[in-house]
Amino acid sequence: MSKTPQFDKALDEYFSKLEIDANGGQWRTCRFSGEKFYVRPEDIAFYKRIRVPLPTLSPHERARRKLAYANIYNLFHTKSALSGKTIISTYPSSTSYKIYEHEIWNGGGWDPEEFAVEYDRDRGFFAQYHNFQRTVPRPNLFIRNSVESNYTNYVSRVKNCYLVFDALESEDCGYCIYLDHSKNCYNSFGPVKSDICHDCVLSDNLYRAFFVEYSKDCIDSTFLYDCRDCQYCFASTNLRHKRYYFLNEQLTKEEYEKKIRDINLGDRRVVEEWKKKFSELKKKAIHKANRNERSVNCTGDHIKDSKDCHTCFFIISGENIAYSLGGNKNRDSYDLVGGNGSELSYETWGLNAYNTKFSMNADFLRDSEYCDLCENCSDCFACIGLKNRSFCIFNKQYTEDEYWKLLDTIKVKMLADGEYGEFFLPELCPVPYNISLATSFQGYDDVENALQYGYRAEELSEGAQNIEGEVINNTDVPEDIKNTTDEILEKVIFDGKNNKKFRYTKKELGFHRQYNLALPIEHYSIRLARKRIEMGPIDFNIKTRRCSRCGEKTQVSFPENHPDAPRIVYCEKCYNEAVV
């Protein structure tokens, strides 16, 4: 028996009037971009199953909404609404939201139910939610179970990390994104189970590896692309189980060591010279059409150990999911960002959710909708910051019968008003679009278009680093690490090209000295942004091109006309024959 009979009756009527094509699907026009998109028959079956109407936004714009809702990579100084102290925050000082120290917010030093309000039947849902949203405190940062890692965000169980974002179980790292069980890594994007790395990209099980990209199980190596199980290799591509390779040529141990001795990577000019050579080397390398591994019936990119994933990116062990970005062990869900073990969920961003829709920061959330920052809750609607609660609406506690009757009323009105069935409106994003996660990806860095869709942008001041002191131009930083004294720690470095200031840390300087690596002179945010952009576009319109070897069409990460598209692209079969 339905618990929301009036809503189900209205939704059934909606589906009965739906005009579908001969294949059982429907072409739609995105009400934001005007782009045509196809709702597949299996999509319609999913929407009927979880009881939502068809989307009015394209997959691209649905993802934009969720990505725009959070700022992960930018830190600011903000005043706590609780203590009045200046704190590091993911929200700029201009924010109109109440920001609390995350230690207090997570520790139960406040009561979310004190901010409860009653639903007003005479007002639109999102207008009420917007007012409610501005009264409920939010944590300044998303840090869990971490030590000496104040300048981080979206991290769990990290120690002694600085300007590290989206990280798990890592230690003594700096200026990194997407760290997983790694130590002593700097200026890297996506090192997993790695130690002593600098300037590495989406690589696993590295040790003493510098400037290594898309590689695994490599030791004491530098400037590698797409290599596996290599040791003592320099400036090489597509290697498997090799030792003492230099520019893709086999050398003896003595020959290799002599060449390496003559290369001083402590000198920034030498590093830049080798970066250019490495770039040219990669152009001649064989590129796999996409980076999917051990996956069946999947379209998208960076999908591993998964099955039946349609138009997804960065998925691990997923099954029967579609239009999703990131996540581990999710199944039977659509339009997720992240998630770990989510099931039967739609349009959510969070860790673990079951039968949950249109929710943000969902951590062990069940049978809930339009919730934000809620943990271990079930049967909640339009709630913020609750823990261990059920049958709440706008943070107000109801009996079970009261909850279902009111919920039925709310959802019927939302459906009639055209408000039900999609993620929070752009106007409800708690951070400006120009610092949101969205702008980190190619395809979503079009701020002017976003403004037309209702998102907002702000001119913002410097971030949260301490930038007081004597300022020197980054061009005045010594070229060679051997000529860099501790006095550099007292200077504020001005990156004139990007109009940003920064400082070096003592640990960072020690790392570069120990491994004879030149200090970077670009602001850390620019370095990390470049790595994200070079990863390629997030494009829900999957592209194909012909394999450079066999001529068969294959799904690719970069469309052939993309300026960063590689020249030599092999389908999986040809790649495995030629490289693996």
Side-chain angles (χ1 to χ4, degrees):
M1 181 176 177
S2 172
K3 295 181 178 179
T4 52
Q6 298 305 313
F7 170 76
D8 286 330
K9 179 181 178 181
L11 190 64
D12 288 341
E13 184 178 353
Y14 163 86
F15 277 113
S16 70
K17 297 177 179 179
L18 199 64
E19 296 182 0
I20 58 176
D21 62 22
N23 296 319
Q26 185 189 77
W27 280 99
R28 311 205 99 197
T29 301
C30 176
R31 61 186 173 88
F32 274 9
S33 66
E35 174 191 6
K36 298 282 187 180
F37 66 99
Y38 188 66
V39 183
R40 305 173 303 156
E42 51 266 60
D43 297 343
I44 294 178
F46 176 80
Y47 300 137
K48 287 182 177 179
R49 181 184 181 187
I50 65 166
R51 309 301 291 159
V52 297
L54 271 60
T56 65
L57 298 175
S58 67
H60 183 86
E61 292 305 327
R62 299 200 300 269
R64 187 198 296 269
R65 276 201 175 181
K66 293 183 287 293
L67 294 173
Y69 209 82
N71 161 35
I72 294 182
Y73 304 133
N74 303 278
L75 300 180
F76 302 92
H77 283 127
T78 305
K79 183 171 288 189
S80 167
L82 183 66
S83 67
K85 296 178 181 178
T86 298
I87 56 176
I88 305 160
S89 175
T90 188
Y91 302 94
S93 60
S94 60
T95 184
S96 59
Y97 293 85
K98 293 181 179 179
I99 309 302
Y100 282 8
E101 291 88 337
H102 66 89
E103 299 91 343
I104 297 172
W105 197 97
N106 290 317
W110 66 293
D111 183 3
E113 292 185 59
E114 290 183 0
F115 302 90
V117 297
E118 288 195 16
Y119 172 71
D120 184 348
R121 290 172 168 80
D122 296 326
R123 298 179 62 204
F125 169 77
F126 286 118
Q128 295 181 64
Y129 188 91
H130 197 195
N131 291 340
F132 172 63
Q133 182 188 38
R134 291 178 181 274
T135 67
V136 184
R138 307 180 72 82
N140 63 320
L141 298 167
F142 292 87
I143 299 176
R144 292 291 183 93
N145 305 315
S146 298
V147 178
E148 297 295 330
S149 300
N150 293 330
Y151 286 83
T152 61
N153 196 23
Y154 279 83
V155 300
S156 178
R157 299 187 295 280
V158 304
K159 182 179 179 182
N160 299 330
C161 288
Y162 180 71
L163 292 173
V164 163
F165 309 94
D166 195 5
L168 175 68
E169 296 272 10
S170 296
E171 186 174 345
D172 295 318
C173 297
Y175 314 104
C176 290
I177 297 173
Y178 185 43
L179 279 169
D180 189 355
H181 290 79
S182 294
K183 298 170 62 177
N184 303 302
C185 293
Y186 282 81
N187 302 298
S188 295
F189 173 35
V192 177
K193 296 179 181 177
S194 297
D195 190 3
I196 309 176
C197 297
H198 170 67
D199 216 327
C200 294
V201 175
L202 292 173
S203 297
D204 300 358
N205 298 308
L206 303 181
Y207 181 70
R208 282 203 301 265
F210 311 122
F211 309 102
V212 171
E213 302 176 6
Y214 300 102
S215 298
K216 295 181 180 179
D217 306 310
C218 294
I219 300 173
D220 292 307
S221 296
T222 306
F223 289 116
L224 298 188
Y225 173 82
D226 185 29
C227 293
R228 305 285 188 274
D229 184 29
C230 294
Q231 188 171 9
Y232 306 120
C233 293
F234 189 98
S236 296
T237 62
N238 300 135
L239 298 183
R240 298 295 185 270
H241 319 297
K242 301 299 183 185
R243 304 291 183 270
Y244 302 112
Y245 263 66
F246 189 93
L247 287 172
N248 276 9
E249 293 185 4
Q250 177 73 68
L251 302 180
T252 65
K253 179 177 182 293
E254 293 74 19
E255 290 171 334
Y256 178 85
E257 290 177 347
K258 183 180 184 304
K259 282 187 175 292
I260 295 303
R261 279 196 301 270
D262 294 338
I263 299 173
N264 177 21
L265 294 181
D267 189 315
R268 196 159 46 252
R269 293 161 297 190
V270 174
V271 170
E272 292 305 316
E273 178 185 346
W274 275 103
K275 280 184 177 180
K276 291 176 183 178
K277 291 180 180 179
F278 186 45
S279 179
E280 291 302 312
L281 196 66
K282 287 189 291 184
K283 291 178 182 178
K284 301 174 184 177
I286 295 171
H287 294 255
K288 189 180 176 186
N290 57 67
R291 302 192 184 282
N292 299 341
E293 298 179 13
R294 302 177 300 278
S295 295
V296 178
N297 191 32
C298 293
T299 58
D301 205 7
H302 296 276
I303 303 173
K304 298 181 180 180
D305 303 310
S306 297
K307 178 182 178 182
D308 299 327
C309 296
H310 175 71
T311 317
C312 294
F313 301 84
F314 295 98
I315 304 298
I316 300 174
S317 302
E319 184 174 352
N320 191 30
I321 57 178
Y323 315 114
S324 295
L325 301 171
N328 181 34
K329 298 180 181 178
N330 297 328
R331 59 181 298 164
D332 299 322
S333 298
Y334 275 38
D335 291 87
L336 304 184
V337 172
N340 186 0
S342 291
E343 187 172 350
L344 277 178
S345 293
Y346 176 54
E347 290 262 47
T348 66
W349 175 332
L351 297 179
N352 184 292
Y354 179 84
N355 191 33
T356 291
K357 312 177 191 76
F358 325 117
S359 294
M360 182 72 183
N361 298 302
D363 194 357
F364 295 99
L365 198 58
R366 185 181 181 92
D367 301 320
S368 298
E369 302 178 69
Y370 291 105
C371 289
D372 187 13
L373 298 166
C374 291
E375 181 178 341
N376 197 30
C377 293
S378 65
D379 299 298
C380 288
F381 191 92
C383 291
I384 301 175
L386 293 185
K387 293 185 179 181
N388 308 313
R389 290 290 183 270
S390 298
F391 308 118
C392 295
I393 298 175
F394 284 116
N395 284 22
K396 183 177 179 179
Q397 183 70 62
Y398 293 89
T399 66
E400 185 173 353
D401 286 344
E402 290 171 338
Y403 174 82
W404 289 114
K405 288 178 182 178
L406 181 55
L407 184 64
D408 200 13
T409 299
I410 293 172
K411 292 176 68 171
V412 167
K413 185 175 187 304
M414 288 181 69
L415 187 65
D417 292 347
E419 291 189 315
Y420 183 78
E422 290 173 318
F423 197 72
F424 298 110
L425 301 178
E427 292 82 0
L428 301 182
C429 291
V431 297
Y433 186 85
N434 51 311
I435 61 166
S436 72
L437 181 60
T439 55
S440 300
F441 297 101
Q442 286 189 46
Y444 294 102
D445 48 2
D446 53 342
V447 177
E448 292 303 318
N449 281 338
L451 296 180
Q452 295 178 26
Y453 303 153
Y455 300 93
R456 62 186 174 87
E458 288 184 19
E459 289 289 335
L460 299 168
S461 60
E462 288 282 355
Q465 277 189 302
N466 180 9
I467 54 172
E468 294 181 358
E470 180 186 350
V471 178
I472 65 170
N473 291 322
N474 59 352
T475 52
D476 293 329
V477 176
E479 297 281 1
D480 198 314
I481 189 67
K482 293 184 179 65
N483 299 326
T484 306
T485 68
D486 285 355
E487 290 182 2
I488 197 70
L489 300 175
E490 302 170 6
K491 311 296 184 184
V492 175
I493 314 302
F494 178 60
D495 176 1
K497 180 180 178 181
N498 300 297
N499 195 31
K500 291 178 178 290
K501 298 174 183 177
F502 65 95
R503 284 183 179 275
Y504 298 116
T505 68
K506 186 175 181 179
K507 283 183 63 176
E508 176 186 11
L509 180 60
F511 179 88
H512 283 264
R513 282 173 173 168
Q514 184 174 355
Y515 299 104
N516 192 40
L517 295 165
L519 284 169
I521 60 172
E522 274 189 315
H523 191 269
Y524 80 91
S525 66
I526 305 301
R527 304 196 303 265
L528 294 181
R530 182 181 301 112
K531 286 180 171 58
R532 297 194 300 269
I533 290 171
E534 289 174 350
M535 179 183 63
I538 300 295
D539 189 347
F540 288 95
N541 295 313
I542 303 297
K543 302 297 192 298
T544 61
R545 64 180 284 183
R546 295 196 179 276
C547 170
S548 302
R549 188 187 194 202
C550 70
E552 293 293 322
K553 282 189 176 181
T554 184
Q555 176 205 317
V556 292
S557 303
F558 287 86
E560 195 165 6
N561 61 352
H562 192 281
D564 297 325
R567 291 184 297 199
I568 305 171
V569 174
Y570 281 15
C571 66
E572 185 172 9
K573 179 176 180 294
C574 291
Y575 175 85
N576 289 338
E577 291 174 353
V579 177
V580 176

